[in-house]
Amino acid sequence: MYKVGEALVGDEPNLAHIDLVIGEKDGPVGQAFLNGISQPSKGHTPLLSVIRPDLQTKPSTLIVPKVTVQGMEDADKAFGPVQEGVARAVADSVEEGIIPKDRTEELVIIVSVFIHPEASDFQKLNRFNYGATRLAIRRAMEEFPSIDKVFEEKDKAGHPLMGTRTVKLRNPPYLQVAMDKPSLEQQLNVIQELPENDHLIVEAGTPLIKKYGISVVEKLREKNDSTFIIADLKTLDTGHLEARMAADAGADGVVVSGLADKNTIEKATREADKCGIYCIVDTLNVSNPVVLLKELEEKPHIVELHRGIDQEYAGEEHSAWGDIPTIKELTRENLVAVAGGITKDTIREALESGADIIVVGRAIANSKDPESKTRDFLEAMGKAYSKLEEEKFGDIEQFRWRTDF
């Protein structure tokens, strides 16, 4: 047996974070157990888990502090509330049948514990470490999480030290606000006024990037770290270089022109994959997007069906978006964006055509009240949140009680 479990319980500074392994005495876990006792490292001296002095728990359990123990004050936390909490959690896990009682002499457990240097509440330290150890043992014995659970959660949950951030577009439709106006101060004000919403994307538009450079993405990120940001470079050459530039600046996606050579598009897609961002092909002035996509060996993550501003001003009629279902099948993420003069009155048509991302530029980015305009579009998409919901839950889609194993 070789089982691994992890759990986080409580709040700072008294929170408990437990990493543990369970295995046989005569296996690799048993060897690590002996090495831990016989070869302790300075400041991280392991200790046996005891319910009280002279009464160790079973299976034998070794506690290894993650943070350096400095002085008696830190030692008291480890040798008191944490040691007893872990020991009792192990004993209760056996009593409840989570760990087989008939194997308590065959198995050993190594528990790595985090003790915050500023922790001071012994009752919370005890309770949190007890709960985290119980949870980690159950997870280990039940081999939680399954790989399917990992796939389900990996793009939803946020690490507490990083915060929640949208990195994958898994729940369309989305509203993409194109920051096209070449006025950095004005566009920074816009991004600050956008409402909190999981279905919102920000685009650093081509004119904005041409005037201020790719560093404009970093400035937008500083104003809103959780938003999915796309750098609309409309790349025509050196796709791999520009994809890397966008990623280095903090973008989550980079736009390549569909008029570029197919090698340029494919190199941009491959580089985007390496950087963990999306490659979007913009079909502005591309006569047949389906033919283009079929010729590509490396399919882009997203295709944007785009009618240009100059075309709109020339009075060209808004035409159907084309065969969106077929185009979706030719993308990596099965996502299609539509752009070009979309209003609240035409947004329903775009959604019914199968569009996953609705790109809106001037109607929001140049508005005197971008927050209200954004809410109007989100409401038309059926993705609006009330201000009360935002204040209560923050990142709406990501909010959930962590009660699962």
Side-chain angles (χ1 to χ4, degrees):
M1 177 193 290
Y2 183 70
K3 306 281 188 179
V4 179
E6 176 269 348
L8 174 67
V9 172
D11 48 21
E12 289 187 351
N14 301 294
L15 64 78
H17 183 237
I18 296 292
D19 299 316
L20 62 78
V21 292
I22 303 174
E24 285 92 353
K25 288 181 179 177
D26 58 358
V29 179
Q31 186 62 53
F33 188 100
L34 292 176
N35 290 341
I37 289 181
S38 60
Q39 302 172 25
S41 59
K42 185 178 179 180
H44 297 271
T45 302
L47 56 148
L48 287 174
S49 184
V50 299
I51 295 173
R52 59 168 172 76
D54 300 321
L55 183 66
Q56 68 162 306
T57 192
K58 290 297 182 80
S60 296
T61 300
L62 190 68
I63 297 176
V64 182
K66 297 178 186 177
V67 179
T68 302
V69 176
Q70 299 181 355
M72 287 306 299
E73 185 177 348
D74 286 346
D76 284 346
K77 301 171 191 174
F79 281 87
V82 172
Q83 187 181 37
E84 193 273 348
V86 170
R88 192 159 45 85
V90 172
D92 284 351
S93 297
V94 175
E95 189 174 30
E96 294 180 13
I98 298 170
I99 298 174
K101 184 178 179 180
D102 59 0
R103 299 205 64 193
T104 53
E105 294 299 332
E106 302 172 18
L107 302 175
V108 290
I109 304 175
I110 301 175
V111 180
S112 182
V113 302
F114 172 80
I115 306 173
H116 197 292
E118 297 179 9
S120 59
D121 190 321
F122 277 29
Q123 289 298 322
K124 286 185 176 180
L125 279 171
N126 180 264
R127 189 166 65 252
F128 292 159
N129 277 276
Y130 169 82
T133 303
R134 284 279 305 274
L135 185 54
I137 290 172
R138 180 181 288 276
R139 286 173 168 172
M141 299 306 291
E142 296 183 358
E143 298 186 345
F144 175 90
S146 67
I147 191 60
D148 289 337
K149 184 66 173 175
V150 172
F151 291 160
E152 177 188 347
E153 297 288 328
K154 66 184 178 68
D155 300 322
K156 295 180 180 180
H159 192 284
L161 295 182
M162 289 296 295
T164 300
R165 176 178 165 187
T166 301
V167 293
K168 294 288 185 180
L169 304 177
R170 299 298 198 203
N171 188 23
Y174 292 90
L175 174 65
Q176 180 170 319
V177 180
M179 306 284 194
D180 286 323
K181 188 174 182 179
S183 169
L184 181 58
E185 183 179 359
Q186 190 264 354
Q187 301 290 252
L188 291 177
N189 288 335
V190 169
I191 194 171
Q192 284 186 292
E193 293 183 33
L194 296 178
E196 291 285 338
N197 195 291
D198 292 305
H199 296 270
L200 202 58
I201 298 170
V202 169
E203 172 194 320
T206 310
L208 189 65
I209 292 177
K210 281 187 174 181
K211 183 171 182 178
Y212 297 99
I214 192 65
S215 63
V216 74
V217 174
E218 297 176 354
K219 292 179 172 60
L220 291 172
R221 176 68 68 203
E222 288 173 3
K223 296 296 182 181
N224 193 328
D225 187 50
S226 63
T227 297
F228 193 96
I229 298 179
I230 291 174
D232 187 3
L233 299 183
K234 289 191 176 67
T235 297
L236 283 166
D237 197 11
T238 61
H240 58 300
L241 293 179
E242 296 202 4
R244 172 67 65 172
M245 287 167 54
D248 289 347
D252 300 294
V254 61
V255 178
V256 179
S257 173
L259 298 175
D261 184 83
K262 73 173 188 176
N263 290 320
T264 299
I265 297 174
E266 290 176 346
K267 285 182 178 180
T269 302
R270 283 193 289 268
E271 193 66 27
D273 274 337
K274 292 179 186 177
C275 299
I277 67 174
Y278 283 176
C279 180
I280 300 104
V281 169
D282 187 316
T283 63
L284 182 65
N285 294 328
V286 174
S287 58
N288 195 325
V290 173
V291 172
L292 167 66
L293 293 167
K294 286 184 176 179
E295 290 177 349
L296 296 174
E297 292 183 15
E298 293 281 350
K299 307 300 184 188
H301 301 89
I302 303 172
V303 167
E304 181 175 322
L305 305 177
H306 192 172
R307 183 179 69 153
I309 293 175
D310 291 339
Q311 292 174 309
E312 185 183 341
Y313 281 151
E316 294 188 17
E317 291 186 4
H318 179 79
S319 58
W321 297 111
D323 190 358
I324 289 181
T326 297
I327 294 172
K328 276 189 185 183
E329 292 176 359
L330 296 170
T331 68
R332 192 85 62 84
E333 297 290 326
N334 293 316
L335 293 173
V336 169
V338 294
I342 295 175
T343 67
K344 289 188 297 178
D345 297 326
T346 60
I347 196 170
R348 181 52 51 188
E349 174 193 350
L351 291 171
E352 290 175 352
S353 296
D356 305 288
I357 301 171
I358 307 299
V359 184
V360 178
R362 291 154 295 155
I364 294 175
N366 295 349
S367 169
K368 293 181 179 179
D369 189 357
E371 179 185 11
S372 178
K373 288 290 185 182
T374 302
R375 290 183 187 278
D376 288 344
F377 276 98
L378 288 168
E379 185 175 354
M381 296 168 61
K383 295 298 180 181
Y385 305 142
S386 70
K387 289 187 178 181
L388 179 61
E389 288 175 315
E390 291 169 10
E391 292 172 0
K392 183 177 180 181
F393 299 126
D395 188 357
I396 307 296
E397 183 179 299
Q398 310 303 336
F399 180 85
R400 57 237 178 131
W401 296 106
R402 297 181 181 274
T403 55
D404 59 327
F405 285 140

